[in-house]
Amino acid sequence: MAQAVELTVGERVVRVSNPGKVYFPERGITKIQVVEYYLAVAEPLLRVLRDRPTTLKRYVDGVTGEAFYQKRLPKGAPEWVETARIKFPSGRPADEVCPTEPAVLAWAANLGTFDFHPWPVRRADTDRPDELRVDLDPQPGTDFRDAVEVAMVLREVLDELGFTGYPKTSGGRGVHVAVRIRPEWDFVDVRHAVIALAREVERRVPDKATTSWWKEERGEKVFLDFNQAARDRTIASAWSVRGTPRATVSTPVTWDRLSTVDPDDFDVLSVPKYLADNGDPHASLDDEAFGIERLLEWYEADDRGEMPYPPDYPKMPGEPPRVQPSRARRSTSENVE
């Protein structure tokens, strides 16, 4: 096993064990290269993560191993790794990592962290999101270009609402869009706002976009995953390395560039230069926060009401049955017989 190295990061010393360990065999990318990548993008990444409880997605054996989500501060963490207390849907609390300085990023990368998954809240109030997130997820038969096409419709809706949205590649085939909102509403309200927004996009391009929670009903469309707005549901942050063979990175882009980029071009080796050449396309995300009143009015005016929550959630008020539609039809048919 290779000898550990010590990196001086600001006022901290971060020990990197087994720095030559290959994390991405297809590209030959090693642990130390992932650590160095995170130090190269530390400034914009900390703008994304600062004061946010953050789940670490760890690949201790590299991309070919099994990943897991670290939702509590790992044992043995340095005293300078700060935390934020959150509550899971069950009501149980946990102290999650709350990145505040570059050394925390290097420390987490040494633990095998590829993705940082921040909550859409700040630690001053972890029950009221300040970010509305839309996850555009291409279903089988669709791809990144389809997600971009639907994202452009989403942009039209955001523009009409007076919102500013900030797009990024997911690091896979999808697109994520963030909108800064005022932290005046709880998770249920913000999720309802995302549902209303997604339904409006679906209404405009029903042949391309879907809000159907059940996969059997989605077809070859782009799914607007409203449940990513539920409590304890997160998406990989901007500048996060993803667990793909190419070591792709979830990368912020401008709306103008979104339709021209190839998400595979953004990876651990290329993104530091992209950042140096272009700056942070999301640098102004915190400049203005918006209200979701109109979206909540849309939600209340829609007769369809509540949508299913993820299966591991406690039953929520007004939620329809969590039964796959084809199973529900079979059950009804059997009862009739």
Side-chain angles (χ1 to χ4, degrees):
M1 183 173 290
Q3 187 173 357
V5 298
E6 291 188 343
L7 302 178
T8 300
V9 184
E11 300 177 353
R12 316 297 185 192
V13 175
V14 178
R15 183 177 182 274
V16 180
S17 60
N18 198 14
K21 184 175 183 178
V22 177
Y23 270 176
F24 295 90
E26 185 176 296
R27 307 289 303 281
I29 295 171
T30 62
K31 176 193 274 196
I32 193 65
Q33 287 177 290
V34 174
V35 173
E36 291 169 343
Y37 163 78
Y38 274 122
L39 293 176
V41 301
E43 183 178 351
L45 177 54
L46 284 173
R47 274 199 293 272
V48 176
L49 302 180
R50 195 180 304 279
D51 291 328
R52 298 191 185 280
T54 301
T55 300
L56 310 178
K57 189 172 184 182
R58 295 175 57 187
Y59 293 76
V60 294
D61 294 316
V63 72
T64 57
E66 190 168 336
F68 66 95
Y69 289 94
Q70 181 87 48
K71 293 193 174 186
R72 289 179 169 82
L73 180 72
K75 291 181 180 178
E79 62 179 11
W80 41 264
V81 177
E82 298 185 25
T83 61
R85 174 152 289 202
I86 52 88
K87 287 182 184 175
F88 297 120
S90 65
R92 289 181 298 108
D95 294 318
E96 288 208 328
V97 172
C98 187
T100 54
E101 57 181 295
V104 176
L105 307 179
W107 163 80
N110 178 60
L111 296 180
T113 299
F114 288 179
D115 318 29
F116 292 89
H117 283 247
W119 280 48
V121 299
R122 310 277 188 178
R123 60 177 163 181
D125 187 348
T126 57
D127 289 323
R128 297 187 183 277
D130 73 338
E131 190 164 280
L132 184 152
R133 298 170 175 173
V134 184
D135 179 7
L136 298 100
D137 183 12
Q139 299 303 289
T142 63
D143 58 18
F144 177 73
R145 297 296 155 207
D146 297 295
V148 169
E149 195 171 345
V150 175
M152 291 303 180
V153 178
L154 170 64
R155 185 192 186 188
E156 293 174 4
V157 180
L158 293 175
D159 287 347
E160 291 169 18
L161 288 164
F163 292 178
T164 303
Y166 292 82
K168 67 182 180 73
T169 66
S170 69
R173 298 181 306 126
V175 174
H176 300 155
V177 178
V179 177
R180 181 66 68 242
I181 60 174
R182 299 192 301 271
E184 298 174 5
W185 295 271
D186 63 16
F187 276 94
V188 173
D189 283 337
V190 173
R191 178 176 171 276
H192 288 168
V194 174
I195 289 172
L197 185 58
R199 282 172 170 168
E200 177 59 18
V201 173
E202 180 184 39
R203 185 187 69 80
R204 297 188 185 198
V205 281
D207 58 328
K208 298 181 182 299
T210 180
T211 59
S212 296
W213 175 245
W214 302 104
K215 290 182 179 180
E216 65 182 28
E217 296 185 330
R218 293 177 190 170
E220 294 186 1
K221 300 178 184 180
V222 175
F223 173 50
L224 292 106
D225 189 354
F226 53 86
N227 268 332
Q228 294 292 18
R231 179 186 287 270
D232 192 33
R233 285 300 185 274
T234 56
I235 58 177
S237 75
W239 311 106
S240 269
V241 180
R242 305 308 309 274
T244 63
R246 286 190 55 78
T248 52
V249 168
S250 180
T251 307
V253 294
T254 62
W255 282 108
D256 289 341
R257 292 193 67 169
L258 181 61
S259 60
T260 66
V261 300
D262 182 338
D264 282 348
D265 289 342
F266 297 123
D267 59 39
V268 165
L269 304 180
S270 66
V271 166
K273 185 177 187 305
Y274 167 80
L275 173 61
D277 292 346
N278 298 280
D280 179 7
H282 289 191
S284 59
L285 178 56
D286 289 325
D287 287 358
E288 185 177 9
F290 303 94
I292 61 172
E293 293 92 343
R294 283 186 64 193
L295 288 172
L296 293 177
E297 289 172 4
W298 291 2
Y299 177 82
E300 290 299 327
D302 194 313
D303 293 339
R304 288 172 289 182
E306 187 59 277
M307 299 282 276
Y309 272 79
D312 58 328
Y313 253 66
K315 186 69 174 176
M316 299 296 285
E319 185 186 359
R322 294 181 193 173
V323 181
Q324 197 170 324
S326 58
R327 290 182 59 189
R329 288 192 293 271
R330 283 200 303 271
S331 177
T332 301
S333 173
E334 289 167 1
N335 288 340
V336 168
E337 291 173 1

